[in-house]
Amino acid sequence: MPTIQTLKARQILDSRGTPTVEVDCLLSDGSFGRAAVPSGASTGSHEALELRDGDKKLYGGKSVLKAVANVEHILEALQGAEVADHRKIDGNMITLDGTTNKTKLGANAILGVSMAVCRARAASEKRSLWQSLADQFGVKLGKQVKLPVPMMNVMNGGKHADSGLSLQECMIVPAGFDRFSDALRAGAEIFMVLKKLLHDAGYSTAVGDEGGFAPHVKDSNEAFSFLARAIEEAGYGAHVKLGIDCAASEFYKDGIYAVDGKKLTSAALVKFYEELVSRYPIVSIEDSHSEDDWDGFVALRKAQPELQLVGDDLFVTNVSRIKTGIGKQAANAVLIKLNQIGTVSETVDAIQMTQKAGWNAVVSHRSGETEDAFIAHLAVGLQTGQIKTGSLSRTDRVCKYNELLRIEEELGARAQYVSPFES
Ligand code: PGA
Ligand code: ZN
């Protein structure tokens, strides 16, 4: 196995025009890997630290030059290290940082290296990244390899748009299909119909951070009625379900949830969701409650046992929080974001703990993204079965779906598409 020869980091821009870290990794056998780090807007307070310079004269304080420089310190520690054991490489960076939240080197510096090394290793093996990841992390791929069900965020609210919609993401979930490419086509066709419906109703069809529309609808009910109509008119009826990422920490303050012009207690919020679920074919709700309102999650889980209840800000891809959640039965699915925890190995630990508990893992982008499609490979390599990577517009979102099309093509007859949601 080759060793790490050089690591070179640079500052690039993400989809919001905000600086982020990109890392190049060159191995001793000449293999090369490049990776770019994403960035959230509705970040959980328990996430690993995204190191920013804070110098107001540069990008309003958002430059990442310190994180870029920290990759040079990482290189001093990792130069000559064998890439055969990725957990060891990540472990060395965690030790070098020495803090629980990666505050010294920055999770953006550490993750950029971790991902770039995985890519370089796959290049050295002359294999696709998804295959290399599966092997490195002990995933036994059978005759059939699962492509993930995409949760497509076609209407953006919350911190991702100025639509006034309290819920951050209203998603379509293609359930009843045999192939990923057909599921994607359904999503794109529904997106086109939705555009026309919004336009005809006099709404804006400009898009938010994740490429979904951001009309000034009155409330969640109106948003979901547009989505339901678009699914119907595109001819997909029962085959396409709905999902929500409430990102409820963003509308929570002092024990009260301010949603759709109402002020609700944690218990009343459960009723609010139950009402929505009774009206629309909603199969998945993410971050229904604020990031430390464990009781709110437990109550919704009990009230709607059939629903997929996903923890994002609740778990922050952190095994200790996921373990707590499993103990409390506070959810039945975990959103997986590489930069919430800061290394590929720890991300895989989070996925594998989730899968072992019989819960679903949903690999996710961030609202600030780049052209990097690492997460498409992570979802296939770790066989998570679900991915959330935005709408059917804007290359920062669509590039992940396009990469999945290529993986499906590469897999040929081995490719499998199974939805955990009934169609
Ligand atoms: P973020 O949003 O990347 O802004 O945190 C995505 C999400 O909440 O799932
Ligand atoms: Zn979320």
Side-chain angles (χ1 to χ4, degrees):
M1 263 283 166
T3 57
I4 294 174
Q5 193 168 78
T6 60
L7 294 168
K8 174 164 176 35
R10 67 181 63 82
Q11 177 171 275
I12 62 165
L13 297 184
D14 74 11
S15 54
R16 280 192 278 253
T18 306
T20 190
V21 178
E22 179 174 84
V23 178
D24 291 353
C25 170
L26 185 67
L27 302 185
S28 54
D29 66 356
S31 305
F32 175 80
R34 172 173 290 163
V37 178
S39 172
S42 64
T43 46
S45 61
H46 305 288
E47 293 191 20
L49 180 92
E50 179 181 72
L51 186 61
R52 296 207 178 267
D53 301 336
D55 175 354
K56 291 278 178 225
K57 292 193 292 304
L58 295 174
Y59 293 98
K62 299 225 165 185
S63 60
V64 290
L65 299 174
K66 283 184 199 153
V68 164
N70 285 344
V71 172
E72 284 173 33
H73 299 306
I74 294 174
L75 175 63
E76 285 162 24
L78 293 188
Q79 201 161 34
E82 290 222 355
V83 295
D85 188 350
H86 195 77
R87 285 187 184 283
K88 198 165 160 201
I89 289 173
D90 285 344
N92 284 343
M93 289 194 281
I94 291 165
T95 309
L96 185 67
D97 177 84
T99 68
T100 44
N101 270 353
K102 304 189 173 64
T103 43
K104 190 168 159 222
L105 297 171
N108 39 357
I110 295 173
L111 179 64
V113 172
S114 185
M115 290 162 72
V117 171
C118 285
R119 272 238 172 74
R121 173 183 167 147
S124 165
E125 295 167 342
K126 298 190 172 42
R127 292 196 301 173
S128 295
L129 178 59
W130 61 268
Q131 233 173 2
S132 177
L133 287 171
D135 262 16
Q136 282 183 62
F137 293 105
V139 181
K140 300 260 174 298
L141 296 174
K143 278 206 180 80
Q144 303 276 274
V145 178
K146 253 191 311 199
L147 270 294
V149 172
M151 300 221 269
M152 301 182 271
N153 177 15
V154 293
M155 214 181 273
N156 298 184
K159 267 205 167 174
H160 297 166
D162 60 2
S163 61
L165 185 64
S166 314
L167 303 179
Q168 180 178 279
E169 304 171 16
C170 302
M171 296 177 278
I172 50 176
V173 186
F177 296 86
D178 295 329
R179 290 166 54 82
F180 172 80
S181 42
D182 292 336
L184 186 64
R185 176 169 52 84
E189 290 173 4
I190 291 163
F191 188 63
M192 284 176 198
V193 174
L194 180 60
K195 183 170 188 174
K196 185 171 180 319
L197 292 179
L198 290 171
H199 177 80
D200 292 351
Y203 282 118
S204 157
T205 55
V207 297
D209 282 0
E210 297 190 350
F213 299 119
H216 280 261
V217 287
K218 191 167 82 256
D219 53 21
S220 324
N221 208 37
E222 192 182 4
F224 282 109
S225 65
F226 268 114
L227 263 53
R229 267 181 65 202
I231 292 169
E232 225 27 71
E233 288 190 24
Y236 287 106
H239 294 303
V240 178
K241 308 291 184 189
L242 298 171
I244 319 175
D245 178 6
C246 314
S249 299
E250 303 297 333
F251 53 81
Y252 172 83
K253 204 171 168 220
D254 302 332
I256 293 295
Y257 291 91
V259 56
D260 284 357
K262 304 180 178 75
K263 294 208 180 313
L264 304 176
T265 61
S266 183
L269 188 63
V270 172
K271 294 269 177 272
F272 169 84
Y273 295 131
E274 288 201 88
E275 172 74 25
L276 274 181
V277 170
S278 73
R279 285 181 182 211
Y280 302 102
I282 293 166
V283 292
S284 180
I285 296 187
E286 177 184 331
D287 279 355
S288 60
H289 289 75
S290 181
E291 60 197 352
D292 289 311
D293 184 1
W294 294 95
D295 294 346
F297 280 88
V298 170
L300 181 57
R301 178 83 191 93
K302 280 206 186 111
Q304 293 284 315
E306 300 297 315
L307 195 70
Q308 173 170 273
L309 181 55
V310 190
D312 169 16
D313 293 350
L314 179 69
F315 296 133
V316 290
T317 316
N318 184 317
V319 288
S320 83
R321 291 188 65 92
I322 297 168
K323 198 166 169 200
T324 304
I326 293 168
K328 289 179 186 285
Q329 285 299 300
N332 56 8
V334 178
L335 203 77
I336 300 292
K337 291 168 166 168
L338 286 149
N339 79 324
Q340 280 182 329
I341 191 72
T343 63
V344 175
S345 303
E346 290 165 291
T347 305
V348 169
D349 290 344
I351 294 172
Q352 291 179 336
M353 176 181 276
T354 302
Q355 291 171 329
K356 223 165 146 197
W359 287 17
N360 294 330
V362 183
V363 169
S364 172
H365 64 162
R366 299 307 305 246
S367 52
E369 267 294 336
T370 69
E371 59 272 36
D372 191 309
F374 193 98
I375 58 167
H377 290 269
L378 185 67
V380 176
L382 272 290
Q383 290 288 277
T384 62
Q386 292 181 65
I387 193 167
K388 182 178 101 156
T389 185
S391 183
L392 291 309
S393 84
R394 301 297 178 246
T395 302
D396 40 306
R397 312 297 141 187
V398 170
C399 66
K400 280 67 165 177
Y401 296 130
N402 288 343
E403 191 73 350
L404 287 165
L405 288 176
R406 293 180 198 107
I407 297 173
E408 185 174 64
E409 183 184 294
E410 180 190 352
L411 281 165
R414 284 181 80 195
Q416 192 189 31
Y417 184 84
V418 267
S419 167
F421 310 109
E422 274 176 42
S423 66

